[in-house]
Amino acid sequence: MNKEIIEHLFEFWKHIGHNGGFLKKEKGFNSTHPPENSWPNKIFNVNVEDLDLNDLKQKILSKKLPNSVAVYEQESPRKILTSNGYGITSTLKAMALTTNGILYDNIKASDFLEVCSEHDAGLFAEVASESFGYPVKPATIIPLYKDPAFKLYLGKYKDSFPSCGIVYLDKNGVSGIHMIGTKADYRGLGLGKKMTQQLVNEAIKNQSKKVYLVASQAGERIYSKMGFKTYGVLESYALQN
Protein backbone atom coordinates (compact mmCIF):
# COMPACT_ATOMS: atom_id res chain seq x y z
CA MET A 1 0.00 0.00 0.00
CA ASN A 2 3.02 2.28 0.34
CA LYS A 3 2.93 3.05 -3.39
CA GLU A 4 -0.76 4.01 -3.28
CA ILE A 5 -0.22 6.34 -0.31
CA ILE A 6 2.76 8.07 -1.90
CA GLU A 7 0.98 8.35 -5.27
CA HIS A 8 -1.90 10.04 -3.44
CA LEU A 9 0.55 12.57 -1.99
CA PHE A 10 2.07 13.19 -5.43
CA GLU A 11 -1.42 13.73 -6.88
CA PHE A 12 -2.10 16.20 -4.04
CA TRP A 13 1.04 18.20 -4.91
CA LYS A 14 0.28 17.99 -8.61
CA HIS A 15 -3.27 19.28 -8.12
CA ILE A 16 -2.02 22.18 -5.99
CA GLY A 17 0.62 23.03 -8.59
CA HIS A 18 -1.95 22.94 -11.38
CA ASN A 19 -4.34 25.20 -9.46
CA GLY A 20 -1.57 27.63 -8.58
CA GLY A 21 0.01 27.70 -12.03
CA PHE A 22 3.40 26.41 -10.86
CA LEU A 23 3.28 22.75 -11.91
CA LYS A 24 6.04 21.65 -14.28
CA LYS A 25 5.93 18.41 -16.25
CA GLU A 26 9.33 17.46 -17.63
CA LYS A 27 10.88 14.29 -18.96
CA GLY A 28 11.24 11.91 -16.05
CA PHE A 29 9.54 13.96 -13.33
CA ASN A 30 6.98 16.54 -12.21
CA SER A 31 7.75 19.49 -9.97
CA THR A 32 6.06 22.26 -8.04
CA HIS A 33 8.15 25.39 -7.56
CA PRO A 34 6.08 28.31 -6.26
CA PRO A 35 7.55 31.80 -5.93
CA GLU A 36 9.61 32.59 -2.81
CA ASN A 37 10.21 28.89 -2.12
CA SER A 38 6.68 28.54 -0.82
CA TRP A 39 5.15 25.14 -0.06
CA PRO A 40 4.89 22.73 -1.86
CA ASN A 41 8.40 22.93 -3.29
CA LYS A 42 9.20 19.44 -4.61
CA ILE A 43 10.40 17.26 -7.47
CA PHE A 44 8.30 14.07 -7.59
CA ASN A 45 6.81 11.37 -9.84
CA VAL A 46 10.39 10.52 -10.74
CA ASN A 47 10.99 7.93 -13.46
CA VAL A 48 14.70 7.19 -13.26
CA GLU A 49 14.73 5.50 -16.67
CA ASP A 50 13.67 8.76 -18.37
CA LEU A 51 15.59 11.11 -16.09
CA ASP A 52 18.34 13.32 -17.55
CA LEU A 53 20.52 13.63 -14.44
CA ASN A 54 22.79 16.33 -15.89
CA ASP A 55 19.84 18.49 -16.89
CA LEU A 56 18.22 17.97 -13.49
CA LYS A 57 21.43 18.96 -11.70
CA GLN A 58 21.88 22.14 -13.74
CA LYS A 59 18.28 23.23 -13.19
CA ILE A 60 18.60 22.67 -9.43
CA LEU A 61 21.89 24.59 -9.29
CA SER A 62 20.38 27.47 -11.27
CA LYS A 63 17.35 27.43 -8.94
CA LYS A 64 14.94 26.69 -11.77
CA LEU A 65 13.89 23.62 -9.78
CA PRO A 66 13.65 22.98 -6.04
CA ASN A 67 16.49 21.06 -4.41
CA SER A 68 14.23 18.37 -3.00
CA VAL A 69 13.48 15.08 -4.78
CA ALA A 70 10.77 12.86 -3.28
CA VAL A 71 10.78 9.15 -4.19
CA TYR A 72 9.35 5.84 -3.05
CA GLU A 73 11.51 3.72 -0.81
CA GLN A 74 13.12 1.76 -3.65
CA GLU A 75 16.66 0.55 -4.21
CA SER A 76 16.98 1.73 -7.84
CA PRO A 77 16.30 5.49 -7.41
CA ARG A 78 18.23 5.49 -4.13
CA LYS A 79 21.34 4.11 -5.83
CA ILE A 80 21.06 6.45 -8.81
CA LEU A 81 20.55 9.56 -6.69
CA THR A 82 23.22 8.79 -4.09
CA SER A 83 25.78 7.92 -6.77
CA ASN A 84 25.14 11.26 -8.48
CA GLY A 85 25.71 13.57 -5.54
CA TYR A 86 22.33 13.52 -3.78
CA GLY A 87 21.99 12.88 -0.07
CA ILE A 88 18.91 11.85 1.87
CA THR A 89 17.36 14.70 3.84
CA SER A 90 14.23 13.15 5.34
CA THR A 91 12.30 9.92 5.71
CA LEU A 92 8.55 10.19 6.28
CA LYS A 93 6.12 7.41 7.15
CA ALA A 94 3.34 6.45 4.74
CA MET A 95 0.30 5.62 6.88
CA ALA A 96 -3.33 4.62 6.37
CA LEU A 97 -6.48 4.24 8.45
CA THR A 98 -9.44 1.99 7.64
CA THR A 99 -12.60 4.00 8.36
CA ASN A 100 -14.98 1.09 9.07
CA GLY A 101 -16.87 1.80 12.29
CA ILE A 102 -15.02 5.05 13.01
CA LEU A 103 -16.77 8.34 13.75
CA TYR A 104 -15.47 10.94 16.15
CA ASP A 105 -18.50 12.44 17.89
CA ASN A 106 -16.46 14.04 20.67
CA ILE A 107 -15.57 17.11 18.60
CA LYS A 108 -17.80 20.09 17.86
CA ALA A 109 -18.28 21.82 14.52
CA SER A 110 -17.98 25.14 16.34
CA ASP A 111 -14.35 24.29 17.16
CA PHE A 112 -13.40 24.61 13.48
CA LEU A 113 -13.62 27.19 10.73
CA GLU A 114 -13.82 25.96 7.15
CA VAL A 115 -11.77 28.17 4.85
CA CYS A 116 -14.30 29.83 2.53
CA SER A 117 -12.80 33.21 1.67
CA GLU A 118 -9.54 34.88 0.71
CA HIS A 119 -9.30 36.26 4.24
CA ASP A 120 -9.59 32.76 5.69
CA ALA A 121 -7.03 31.48 3.16
CA GLY A 122 -4.59 34.16 4.26
CA LEU A 123 -5.10 33.18 7.88
CA PHE A 124 -4.57 29.50 7.00
CA ALA A 125 -1.31 30.40 5.23
CA GLU A 126 -0.15 32.33 8.30
CA VAL A 127 -0.97 29.50 10.71
CA ALA A 128 0.66 26.89 8.45
CA SER A 129 3.81 28.98 8.03
CA GLU A 130 4.19 29.41 11.78
CA SER A 131 3.38 25.77 12.49
CA PHE A 132 5.79 24.21 9.99
CA GLY A 133 8.55 26.80 9.89
CA TYR A 134 8.56 27.28 6.10
CA PRO A 135 6.68 29.74 3.90
CA VAL A 136 3.13 28.94 2.85
CA LYS A 137 1.81 31.77 0.68
CA PRO A 138 -1.85 32.90 0.50
CA ALA A 139 -1.57 32.76 -3.31
CA THR A 140 -1.07 28.97 -3.01
CA ILE A 141 -3.99 28.50 -0.61
CA ILE A 142 -6.60 30.73 -2.26
CA PRO A 143 -7.26 28.47 -5.29
CA LEU A 144 -7.70 25.44 -3.05
CA TYR A 145 -10.77 26.47 -1.07
CA LYS A 146 -12.56 27.03 -4.38
CA ASP A 147 -11.81 23.46 -5.54
CA PRO A 148 -14.26 20.77 -4.31
CA ALA A 149 -11.43 18.21 -4.02
CA PHE A 150 -10.03 20.18 -1.07
CA LYS A 151 -11.43 21.19 2.29
CA LEU A 152 -9.31 23.38 4.52
CA TYR A 153 -9.91 23.97 8.21
CA LEU A 154 -8.63 26.20 10.97
CA GLY A 155 -8.96 24.99 14.54
CA LYS A 156 -10.30 27.41 17.17
CA TYR A 157 -8.91 27.82 20.66
CA LYS A 158 -10.46 30.56 22.80
CA ASP A 159 -10.23 33.68 20.61
CA SER A 160 -7.54 32.46 18.22
CA PHE A 161 -6.96 30.03 15.35
CA PRO A 162 -3.74 28.16 16.20
CA SER A 163 -4.16 24.95 14.15
CA CYS A 164 -4.80 23.97 10.54
CA GLY A 165 -5.41 20.97 8.30
CA ILE A 166 -6.52 19.87 4.82
CA VAL A 167 -8.50 16.88 3.57
CA TYR A 168 -8.03 16.02 -0.11
CA LEU A 169 -10.22 13.63 -2.12
CA ASP A 170 -8.19 12.04 -4.92
CA LYS A 171 -9.33 10.71 -8.29
CA ASN A 172 -9.68 7.19 -6.80
CA GLY A 173 -12.13 8.32 -4.13
CA VAL A 174 -9.57 8.07 -1.32
CA SER A 175 -9.13 10.92 1.13
CA GLY A 176 -5.78 12.02 2.46
CA ILE A 177 -5.21 14.38 5.36
CA HIS A 178 -2.44 16.94 5.03
CA MET A 179 -0.83 20.02 6.57
CA ILE A 180 -1.96 19.19 10.10
CA GLY A 181 -0.12 21.77 12.16
CA THR A 182 -0.30 23.74 15.40
CA LYS A 183 1.54 26.91 16.36
CA ALA A 184 4.36 26.28 18.81
CA ASP A 185 2.76 28.17 21.73
CA TYR A 186 -0.36 26.00 21.53
CA ARG A 187 1.19 22.54 21.36
CA GLY A 188 0.38 20.00 24.03
CA LEU A 189 -3.30 20.99 24.17
CA GLY A 190 -4.56 18.20 21.93
CA LEU A 191 -5.39 20.55 19.06
CA GLY A 192 -3.56 18.46 16.47
CA LYS A 193 -5.50 15.36 17.51
CA LYS A 194 -8.80 17.25 17.30
CA MET A 195 -7.91 18.51 13.83
CA THR A 196 -7.01 14.97 12.74
CA GLN A 197 -10.37 13.71 14.02
CA GLN A 198 -12.19 16.48 12.17
CA LEU A 199 -10.40 15.63 8.92
CA VAL A 200 -11.11 11.91 9.33
CA ASN A 201 -14.79 12.71 9.84
CA GLU A 202 -14.73 14.71 6.60
CA ALA A 203 -13.05 11.77 4.85
CA ILE A 204 -15.90 9.55 6.03
CA LYS A 205 -18.37 12.07 4.55
CA ASN A 206 -16.43 11.60 1.30
CA GLN A 207 -17.26 7.88 1.61
CA SER A 208 -13.55 7.06 1.70
CA LYS A 209 -12.86 3.58 3.05
CA LYS A 210 -9.22 4.52 3.64
CA VAL A 211 -7.56 7.69 4.88
CA TYR A 212 -3.95 8.33 3.92
CA LEU A 213 -1.30 10.53 5.50
CA VAL A 214 2.46 10.96 5.50
CA ALA A 215 4.00 11.66 8.90
CA SER A 216 7.28 12.32 10.66
CA GLN A 217 8.62 9.76 13.11
CA ALA A 218 7.16 11.77 15.99
CA GLY A 219 3.84 12.02 14.17
CA GLU A 220 3.85 8.29 13.51
CA ARG A 221 3.64 7.59 17.24
CA ILE A 222 0.64 9.89 17.60
CA TYR A 223 -1.23 8.60 14.56
CA SER A 224 -0.54 4.97 15.46
CA LYS A 225 -2.50 5.51 18.68
CA MET A 226 -5.44 6.64 16.54
CA GLY A 227 -5.40 3.44 14.50
CA PHE A 228 -3.23 4.43 11.55
CA LYS A 229 -0.84 1.75 10.31
CA THR A 230 2.53 2.31 8.65
CA TYR A 231 3.11 0.76 5.23
CA GLY A 232 6.41 2.26 4.11
CA VAL A 233 8.29 5.51 3.71
CA LEU A 234 8.76 8.52 1.48
CA GLU A 235 12.39 9.51 1.03
CA SER A 236 13.54 13.00 0.09
CA TYR A 237 16.95 13.77 -1.41
CA ALA A 238 18.84 16.98 -2.03
CA LEU A 239 21.81 17.72 -4.26
CA GLN A 240 24.83 18.17 -2.00
CA ASN A 241 27.00 21.23 -2.67
Side-chain angles (χ1 to χ4, degrees), residues 80-91:
I80 290 172
L81 290 170
T82 54
S83 64
N84 282 275
Y86 294 81
I88 192 163
T89 55
S90 70
T91 301

Side-chain angles (χ1 to χ4, degrees), residues 66-167:
N67 190 12
S68 184
V69 184
V71 297
Y72 303 124
E73 183 188 22
Q74 290 181 315
E75 187 175 354
S76 176
R78 182 188 299 123
K79 281 186 175 180
I80 290 172
L81 290 170
T82 54
S83 64
N84 282 275
Y86 294 81
I88 192 163
T89 55
S90 70
T91 301
L92 300 177
K93 306 293 185 173
M95 307 185 74
L97 174 73
T98 301
T99 59
N100 292 346
I102 293 176
L103 182 66
Y104 298 108
D105 56 8
N106 57 304
I107 56 173
K108 298 180 293 184
S110 58
D111 288 335
F112 303 92
L113 172 69
E114 184 176 354
V115 173
C116 293
S117 69
E118 291 193 8
H119 175 269
D120 297 345
L123 182 56
F124 185 101
E126 176 188 325
V127 173
S129 297
E130 289 190 37
S131 298
F132 299 111
Y134 51 73
V136 180
K137 297 298 181 182
T140 299
I141 301 301
I142 288 169
L144 305 187
Y145 81 82
K146 302 175 182 180
D147 187 325
F150 298 83
K151 282 194 175 182
L152 297 84
Y153 290 93
L154 290 161
K156 297 180 183 179
Y157 182 76
K158 295 182 179 179
D159 296 325
S160 61
F161 294 98
S163 62
C164 61
I166 300 175
V167 60

Side-chain angles (χ1 to χ4, degrees), residues 21 31 34 36 48 75 77-78 89 95 106 117 139 159 174 177 181 186 206 217 223 232 237:
S31 70
E36 301 178 72
V48 293
E75 187 175 354
R78 182 188 299 123
T89 55
M95 307 185 74
N106 57 304
S117 69
D159 296 325
V174 179
I177 59 178
Y186 294 86
N206 288 340
Q217 186 171 349
Y223 296 122
Y237 292 81

Side-chain angles (χ1 to χ4, degrees), residues 165-179:
I166 300 175
V167 60
Y168 171 68
L169 181 64
D170 71 19
K171 61 186 178 183
N172 297 315
V174 179
S175 294
I177 59 178
H178 305 271
M179 297 296 282

